[in-house]
Amino acid sequence: MTPTIERASRTDTGLASELRLSVMRLARRLRNERQPDNPLSVASLSALGVLFREGECTVGALAAHERVQPPSMTRTVNCLVEDGYAVRRPHATDGRQVLVDLTEKGREILLADRRRRDAWLAQRLRDLTPDERALLREVAPLLQRLATTS
């Protein structure tokens, strides 16, 4: 390995470590800012978020999106349906498939949770300088790209 490549590799490893730690701490703080009376788990809220963004989908598609095994997602969906946050419907063209969709109750709890966490983060962002906020605006799409690539 040439010195330049080795140095770049160590720099990337250091950056990876710093990003991992920072993103994990921010995610933890955002989880802690959830509605105190919100009965849903992080996994359940995440599944509701997928349904909100993507619309109705199969349990398999939800599991793939969340990168969990279908039996785990089936348990999550069962709880969401039992508590009135989601509904199951037969697939219009494939009788073997069942679609899961968000109910109004599910939409309300998801949006209330997002509003609370967004408000917390917006307050923290106000503590930054305009240049720092501008930098985060540029970085946010890159973080999204990192999070969604396999």
Side-chain angles (χ1 to χ4, degrees):
M1 194 183 273
T2 66
T4 305
I5 293 173
E6 187 175 313
R7 202 170 27 253
S9 179
R10 273 186 281 178
T11 302
D12 289 347
T13 301
L15 174 60
S17 183
E18 286 181 57
L19 278 173
R20 176 188 48 76
L21 184 59
S22 299
V23 169
M24 287 177 59
R25 284 182 176 162
L26 180 58
R28 186 177 308 123
R29 279 304 304 267
L30 285 167
R31 277 192 304 274
N32 289 338
E33 292 302 318
R34 292 178 56 213
Q35 289 286 114
D37 59 344
N38 188 333
L40 296 177
S41 68
V42 172
S44 292
L45 278 172
S46 187
L48 290 178
V50 172
L51 293 172
F52 181 80
R53 285 186 309 278
E54 305 294 324
E56 65 184 8
C57 56
T58 65
V59 172
L62 262 176
H65 197 280
E66 292 294 286
R67 297 178 189 238
V68 299
Q69 294 299 314
S72 295
M73 186 54 69
T74 297
R75 286 188 293 278
T76 298
V77 167
N78 286 344
C79 291
L80 290 171
V81 169
E82 285 171 19
D83 294 336
Y85 299 109
V87 292
R88 286 189 182 95
R89 300 188 220 300
H91 193 284
T93 58
D94 185 347
R96 299 166 298 168
Q97 294 284 342
V98 174
L99 297 172
V100 181
D101 202 1
L102 201 55
T103 63
E104 191 55 36
K105 181 180 177 182
R107 182 181 320 282
E108 287 172 11
I109 199 163
L110 176 69
L111 293 178
D113 184 75
R114 285 181 175 185
R115 279 190 301 272
R116 180 180 173 93
R117 290 183 290 138
D118 286 350
W120 176 86
L121 188 54
Q123 183 59 46
R124 302 292 82 69
L125 290 171
R126 285 197 252 332
D127 296 338
L128 300 177
T129 67
D131 286 344
E132 289 170 327
R133 287 192 302 273
L135 181 60
L136 285 175
R137 276 187 200 90
E138 290 182 38
V139 170
L142 297 175
L143 292 173
Q144 176 65 24
R145 198 167 85 205
L146 285 172
T148 57
T149 56
S150 22

